[in-house]
């Protein structure tokens, strides 16, 4: 293969693109992946950053073993944002894909249990973190004994 000016520019452009994509993926935090998962399943999500961070910490504290490795989480957070999670998931080894599936299931379960996402009357409504020991029973009574 002969390296000419056009080929050198193509290689430089591809390298710059991969570096930018990798740099973007490495700046992702766990709450970004959680937000992407929630938006994928529940639609547009308006949640305060502090609530999202608190929800992520509470969810991962309960299920520390389900958290995907940092690089996998960063890459998949970027794939969700770019709407490329389908092709990216097919390229993953089977154990990594299963790990992401478990993570998604636990995050979705915790979202219903720890936030008011299921009680929204409007899909555009905001979502709040209720706390790690939220009680969603409207008839519950909290009295001191």
């Amino acid at each position: 293969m002969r390296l000419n000016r056009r080929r050198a520019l193509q290689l430089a452009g591809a390298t710059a693109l991969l570096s930018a994509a990798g740099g973007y993926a490495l700046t992702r935090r766990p709450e970004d992946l959680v937000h992407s998962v929630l938006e994928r399943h529940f639609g547009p999500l308006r949640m305060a950053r502090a609530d999202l961070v608190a929800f992520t910490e509470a969810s991962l504290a309960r299920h520390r073993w389900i958290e995907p490795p940092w690089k996998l989480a960063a890459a998949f957070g970027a794939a969700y944002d770019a709407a490329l999670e389908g092709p990216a998931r097919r390229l993953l080894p089977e154990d990594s894909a299963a790990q992401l599936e478990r993570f998604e299931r636990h995050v979705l379960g915790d979202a219903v249990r720890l936030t008011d996402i299921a009680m929204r009357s409007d899909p555009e409504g905001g979502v709040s973190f209720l706390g790690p020991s939220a009680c969603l029973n409207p008839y519950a009574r909290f009295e001191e004994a």
Side-chain angles (χ1 to χ4, degrees), residues 2-11:
R2 190 168 161 240
L3 185 65
N4 56 18
R5 182 175 178 207
R6 176 178 282 173
R7 187 56 135 171
L9 287 174
Q10 287 173 342
L11 288 173

Side-chain angles (χ1 to χ4, degrees), residues 121-144:
S121 58
D122 179 23
E124 302 293 319
V127 176
S128 300
F129 175 61
L130 300 175
S133 59
C135 177
L136 302 178
N137 182 353
Y139 303 106
R141 299 176 118 200
F142 301 103
E143 301 172 355
E144 287 187 36

Side-chain angles (χ1 to χ4, degrees), residues 41-59:
H41 291 280
F42 293 111
L45 186 70
R46 288 185 339 152
M47 189 173 194
R49 187 73 180 175
D51 280 350
L52 182 62
V53 170
F55 168 70
T56 302
E57 289 173 356
S59 182

Side-chain angles (χ1 to χ4, degrees), residues 43-115:
L45 186 70
R46 288 185 339 152
M47 189 173 194
R49 187 73 180 175
D51 280 350
L52 182 62
V53 170
F55 168 70
T56 302
E57 289 173 356
S59 182
L60 292 179
R62 291 188 63 241
H63 311 290
R64 185 56 65 186
W65 53 272
I66 64 146
E67 185 177 7
W70 180 75
K71 288 180 184 178
L72 179 62
F76 247 82
Y80 279 127
D81 289 347
L84 295 173
E85 71 274 0
R89 194 178 294 262
R90 285 191 294 274
L91 294 174
L92 284 176
E94 191 174 317
D95 59 331
S96 294
Q99 190 173 17
L100 279 173
E101 183 70 28
R102 277 192 309 273
F103 176 75
E104 272 192 30
R105 286 182 184 186
H106 283 285
V107 165
L108 293 173
D110 283 345
V112 171
R113 195 176 60 77
L114 301 176
T115 68

Side-chain angles (χ1 to χ4, degrees), residues 17-33:
L17 181 65
L18 286 174
S19 298
Y24 173 73
L26 293 177
T27 61
R28 309 285 295 177
R29 295 181 297 276
E31 58 266 14
D32 295 329
L33 177 60

